C-alpha cells in the first residue's frame, strides 16, 4: 500500500446513512462515478461485522478499514517476500490471463447450439452481470481489507458462521482443482493432437503426467506480482491463438471433417434449430457463463494490490476486452464452421495444419491459467499453516518445501480428475453449475443486502428511491439465477454427460484412446 493511500485513508470515515449526501458518498443505493470506476475519491463504507483475524486489529483495539490497511503495511515492512505489491496494471494482467483463456474456444460451440443472435445477447448480458457483481465484491473487500480469499468473504457474509467458512473452503478448493484438471485435460489434447500416432503406450495418461509436472514446476513462484508478468505473456499468446483460429476458419476452404454427401454444407443459424433440447441449450449457456465468471479469485487479487481502490480500472479494461474478443472469435469461427462440423474446443474444426498452428499458441495459457488457480489454492492453505510465522514471509527450507508440497498435491488430484472426466464442454458446464452458482451470483446478491443494511439503507425495509428498489430487485434476481444454476443447471450438466456417454461421444475414464482433436 503506497503512502498516499495510507494518508488518504486515515482522513476518510465510513459513510453512514445520514452522510449519504456527501460529495463522494453513495447516494441511496446508486454508486457515484468513483464507485463505478474506482480511484482516490472512493469513500469506504461501514463494516458488516468484526474483523476475522486478530492480527489485523491495532494495539488500541480498533478494527476499522483504515487501521487494518495500516497494520497490513506495517507487518510487511522489511519482509523478504511482500504481498501487497500489485499495481492496477499488474492486476489487469492477472485478470486478462484468467479471462482471455482457452474457454473462449467453447463459444463457437455454444453459438452453434443457441444460435448466433441469442448467443451474442447472452454474452453481453453475462458480461454485464459479472461486471456488476465484481464491483459489489470490490466494495465488500474495501470495507473488509483483512479478507484473504473468498472463504473469508463467505464466513463474513453468512453471519460469521464457521460452518460457512468450511463450506466455502470446500467449494473453493474443488473449483480451483477442477480448473487445474481442465488444463491438464487440454494439455493432453494438445500433445495428442500435434504428435498424432506414435509408439508411446497409453499416450493420454503419459501426456497427463508430463503436463501435470510442467504445471507444478511453473506454479512455484509465491506472489501474484511475479505471476502477473507471466500472465501478460499468456494473455498475448491466447489472443494470437484465438485470432488465428478465427482467421483460419475463414481462410480454409472447408471445415475439418467436411462431407457434402453425409453432412452437407455448413449450416449457420441466427436462432436455435428445431429440435434443440433444453439440456443442450442450458449446457451451451453454462459454457458462456463459466468463461466470464471468475470472481472466486478476485478477493485474493485485491488483497495483494498496493491501492485496492484502483481495482475497477483493471476490471473495466478486462470486461471490454472480453466482450469484443469472445463475441468476434465465437461468431467468426461459428459462421465459417456451421452446426455440423463444430467441436469443443473449436480448434478441432480447423484442418490439420491450421489446427496445430493456432492450438500451439495456446500452450502458455494451457499452463499458466491452471498455475494461477493452483497458486490461489496453495496460498489459501499455506497462509493458514504459517499464520504469523517467519516461513510465510522469509525464504526458508520449511516454507518453500511446504509450498511445493501443497502445489504437488493439488496437481496430482487435478491429474486424477482430468483422467476420470475426459471431456471438455461437459466439464465446463458441470463446474459452472456447481460452483459458479455461489461464486458468480448468490454470494454477491447477499453481499449487496448485507452492506446496504450496514449503511442503514436496506431497500426492502426502508423508504427508498426508485433506483434503490430497482437495484434491490436486481440483486434478488442475481440470487435466484444462482439457485437456478445450482439446481436446474446441475441437472442439465449431469444429464448431458449421461447422454454423451450413452451416445459414445466421449471416451471412458483413464482410457488409452487418443484425446486428439
Amino acid at each position: 500500500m503506497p503512502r498516499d493511500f495510507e494518508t488518504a485513508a486515515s482522513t476518510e470515515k465510513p459513510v453512514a446513512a445520514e452522510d449519504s449526501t456527501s460529495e463522494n458518498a453513495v447516494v441511496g443505493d446508486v454508486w457515484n462515478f468513483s464507485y463505478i470506476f474506482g480511484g482516490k475519491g472512493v469513500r469506504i463504507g461501514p463494516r458488516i461485522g468484526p474483523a476475522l483475524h486478530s492480527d489485523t486489529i491495532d494495539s488500541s483495539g480498533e478494527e476499522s478499514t483504515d487501521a487494518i490497511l495500516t497494520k497490513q503495511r506495517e507487518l510487511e515492512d522489511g519482509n523478504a517476500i511482500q504481498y501487497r505489491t500489485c499495481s492496477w496494471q499488474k492486476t489487469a494482467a492477472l485478470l486478462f490471463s484468467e479471462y482471455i483463456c482457452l474457454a473462449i474456444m467453447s463459444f463457437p460451440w455454444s453459438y452453434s447450439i443457441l444460435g448466433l443472435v441469442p448467443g451474442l445477447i447472452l454474452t453481453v448480458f453475462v458480461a454485464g452481470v459479472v461486471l456488476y457483481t465484481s464491483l459489489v465484491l470490490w466494495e465488500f473487500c474495501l470495507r473488509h481489507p483483512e479478507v484473504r480469499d473468498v472463504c473469508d468473504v463467505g464466513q463474513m457474509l453468512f453471519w460469521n458462521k464457521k460452518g460457512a467458512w468450511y463450506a466455502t473452503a470446500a467449494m473453493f478448493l474443488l473449483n480451483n482443482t477442477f480448473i487445474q484438471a481442465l488444463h491438464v485435460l487440454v494439455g493432453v489434447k494438445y500433445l495428442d493432437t500435434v504428435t498424432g500416432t506414435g509408439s508411446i503406450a497409453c499416450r493420454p495418461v503419459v501426456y497427463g503426467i508430463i503436463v501435470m509436472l510442467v504445471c507444478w514446476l511453473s506454479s512455484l513462484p509465491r506472489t501474484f506480482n511475479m505471476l502477473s508478468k507471466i500472465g501478460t505473456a499468456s494473455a498475448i499468446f491466447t489472443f494470437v491463438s484465438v485470432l488465428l483460429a478465427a482467421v483460419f476458419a475463414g481462410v480454409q476452404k472447408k471445415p475439418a471433417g467436411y462431407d457434402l454427401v453425409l453432412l452437407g454444407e455448413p449450416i449457420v443459424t441466427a436462432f436455435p434449430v428445431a429440435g434443440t433440447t433444453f439440456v443442450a441449450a442450458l449446457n451451451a449457456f453454462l459454457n458462456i457463463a463459466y468463461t466470464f465468471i471468475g470472481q472466486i479469485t478476485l478477493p485474493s487479487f485485491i488483497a495483494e494490490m498496493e491501492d485496492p481502490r484502483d481495482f475497477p480500472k483493471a476490471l473495466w479494461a478486462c470486461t471490454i476486452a472480453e466482450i469484443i474478443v469472445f463475441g468476434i472469435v465465437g461468431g467468426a469461427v461459428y459462421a465459417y464452421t456451421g452446426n455440423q462440423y463444430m467441436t469443443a474446443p473449436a480448434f478441432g474444426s480447423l484442418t490439420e495444419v491450421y489446427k496445430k498452428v493456432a492450438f500451439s499458441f495456446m500452450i502458455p495459457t494451457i499452463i499458466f491459467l491452471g498455475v494461477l488457480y493452483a497458486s490461489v489454492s496453495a496460498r489459501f492453505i499455506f497462509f493458514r499453516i504459517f499464520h504469523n510465522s517467519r516461513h510465510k514471509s522469509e525464504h526458508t527450507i520449511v516454507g518453500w518445501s511446504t509450498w511445493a508440497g501443497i502445489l504437488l498435491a493439488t496437481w496430482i488430484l487435478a491429474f486424477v480428475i482430468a483422467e476420470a472426466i475426459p471431456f471438455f464442454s461437459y466439464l465446463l458446464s458441470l463446474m459452472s453449475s456447481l460452483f459458479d452458482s455461489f461464486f458468480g451470483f448468490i454470494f454477491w446478491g447477499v453481499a449487496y443486502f448485507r452492506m446496504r443494511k450496514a449503511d442503514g439503507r436496506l431497500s426492502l425495509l426502508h423508504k427508498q428511491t426508485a433506483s434503490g428498489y430497482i437495484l434491490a430487485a436486481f440483486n434478488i434476481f442475481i440470487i435466484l439465477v444462482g439457485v437456478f444454476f445450482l439446481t436446474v443447471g446441475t441437472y442439465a450438466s449431469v444429464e448431458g454427460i449421461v447422454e454423451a456417454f450413452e451416445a459414445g461421444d466421449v471416451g471412458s475414464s483413464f482410457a488409452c484412446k487418443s484425446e486428439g482433436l
Side-chain angles (χ1 to χ4, degrees):
M1 182 179 61
R3 292 294 177 187
D4 63 339
F5 182 51
E6 181 179 340
T7 303
S10 66
T11 62
E12 295 174 357
K13 302 299 180 184
V15 180
E18 62 270 18
D19 191 35
S20 62
T21 57
S22 172
E23 179 183 358
N24 288 318
V26 180
V27 180
D29 280 282
V30 182
W31 288 329
N32 71 348
F33 185 86
S34 62
Y35 266 76
I36 297 175
F37 298 104
K40 300 187 184 303
V42 174
R43 295 179 67 88
I44 301 171
R47 304 175 56 86
I48 68 168
L52 295 179
H53 310 296
S54 60
D55 60 314
T56 61
I57 304 175
D58 67 9
S59 58
S60 66
E62 294 180 359
E63 52 187 26
S64 68
T65 294
D66 303 342
I68 292 171
L69 285 167
T70 301
K71 187 67 178 294
Q72 285 179 343
R73 182 178 176 85
E74 291 173 351
L75 289 172
E76 286 201 351
D77 278 347
N79 287 348
I81 301 175
Q82 297 189 4
Y83 293 95
R84 271 205 181 272
T85 55
C86 277
S87 63
W88 75 263
Q89 292 92 340
K90 291 178 180 177
T91 304
L94 290 170
L95 290 175
F96 277 121
S97 63
E98 178 183 3
Y99 288 110
I100 308 299
C101 63
L102 178 69
I104 296 172
M105 297 309 291
S106 71
F107 273 66
W109 177 82
S110 293
Y111 291 172
S112 73
I113 303 296
L114 298 169
L116 191 56
V117 173
L120 290 172
I121 291 173
L122 286 173
T123 297
V124 176
F125 170 75
V126 174
V129 172
V130 171
L131 174 64
Y132 170 78
T133 54
S134 298
L135 288 171
V136 171
L137 183 161
W138 165 69
E139 182 189 353
F140 186 91
C141 289
L142 283 184
R143 297 180 185 222
H144 313 91
E146 80 278 10
V147 298
R148 298 166 177 155
D149 44 55
V150 77
C151 303
D152 284 347
V153 175
Q155 180 176 342
M156 293 202 71
L157 285 180
F158 297 99
W159 297 274
N160 209 23
K161 301 295 183 182
K162 201 62 181 177
W165 187 92
Y166 284 113
T168 306
M171 291 189 295
F172 174 72
L173 292 174
L174 282 172
N175 176 81
N176 292 356
T177 306
F178 264 81
I179 292 175
Q180 292 173 243
L182 180 66
H183 285 262
V184 172
L185 173 61
V186 176
V188 170
K189 286 183 177 291
Y190 170 74
L191 292 175
D192 234 350
T193 298
V194 297
T195 58
T197 58
S199 59
I200 300 176
C202 205
R203 286 180 320 199
V205 176
V206 173
Y207 288 156
I209 294 173
I210 293 172
V211 174
M212 178 193 72
L213 291 175
V214 170
C215 290
W216 171 61
L217 292 173
S218 302
S219 304
L220 293 178
R222 275 176 45 185
T223 67
F224 287 137
N225 187 35
M226 296 174 65
L227 288 177
S228 67
K229 300 170 184 176
I230 307 173
T232 301
S234 170
I236 292 171
F237 273 92
T238 302
F239 179 75
V240 172
S241 176
V242 298
L243 184 62
L244 286 175
V247 171
F248 290 159
V251 170
Q252 65 183 8
K253 295 180 179 179
K254 301 294 180 182
Y258 175 79
D259 190 321
L260 181 61
V261 177
L262 294 178
L263 299 175
E265 292 291 336
I267 298 173
V268 179
T269 58
F271 297 93
V273 298
T276 301
T277 65
F278 172 77
V279 170
L282 187 52
N283 273 300
F285 171 66
L286 289 171
N287 267 246
I288 292 174
Y290 166 80
T291 311
F292 279 105
I293 294 172
Q295 295 97 314
I296 190 172
T297 62
L298 300 191
S300 300
F301 292 169
I302 295 170
E304 292 201 16
M305 289 189 70
E306 292 175 333
D307 189 343
R309 295 174 302 175
D310 284 335
F311 176 73
K313 298 175 184 177
L315 185 64
W316 274 98
C318 187
T319 301
I320 293 170
E322 284 178 289
I323 294 173
I324 294 172
V325 174
F326 295 179
I328 291 177
V329 171
V333 174
Y334 171 53
Y336 287 108
T337 302
N339 296 335
Q340 316 98 297
Y341 304 101
M342 186 58 62
T343 63
F347 293 115
S349 301
L350 302 175
T351 52
E352 198 67 18
V353 174
Y354 291 150
K355 172 173 58 183
K356 291 181 179 180
V357 172
F359 206 176
S360 293
F361 276 92
M362 192 63 74
I363 293 174
T365 296
I366 292 174
I367 297 172
F368 177 76
L369 191 53
V371 164
L372 181 63
Y373 278 89
S375 181
V376 170
S377 294
R379 182 174 274 93
F380 167 75
I381 299 170
F382 184 82
F383 281 7
R384 281 157 180 80
I385 293 176
F386 294 118
H387 179 61
N388 283 340
S389 166
R390 70 185 185 90
H391 301 300
K392 173 184 171 183
S393 55
E394 302 293 337
H395 297 290
T396 66
I397 294 176
V398 172
W400 276 105
S401 54
T402 303
W403 175 259
I406 294 169
L407 286 168
L408 182 59
T410 66
W411 280 113
I412 291 174
L413 182 56
F415 164 76
V416 172
I417 295 172
E419 293 295 330
I421 313 177
F423 33 86
F424 183 76
S425 60
Y426 295 107
L427 184 55
L428 287 182
S429 299
L430 183 62
M431 291 163 58
S432 184
S433 61
L434 287 176
F435 305 121
D436 291 347
S437 53
F438 290 99
F439 299 132
F441 298 98
I442 295 174
F443 270 29
W444 318 123
V446 173
Y448 171 85
F449 288 111
R450 292 298 310 277
M451 289 189 293
R452 295 293 80 79
K453 185 174 182 180
D455 293 338
R457 297 191 296 274
L458 184 57
S459 297
L460 299 183
L461 300 178
H462 294 268
K463 184 177 179 180
Q464 194 49 262
T465 62
S467 60
Y469 282 113
I470 291 172
L471 277 176
F474 183 63
N475 281 275
I476 291 174
F477 168 74
I478 287 173
I479 294 173
L480 293 177
V481 169
V483 174
F484 178 81
F485 266 51
L486 183 61
T487 54
V488 181
T490 300
Y491 161 77
S493 300
V494 174
E495 185 65 23
I497 293 172
V498 172
E499 291 176 0
F501 269 119
E502 291 176 348
D505 295 336
V506 296
S508 58
S509 302
F510 289 93
C512 294
K513 180 181 177 181
S514 174
E515 292 290 341
L517 297 176

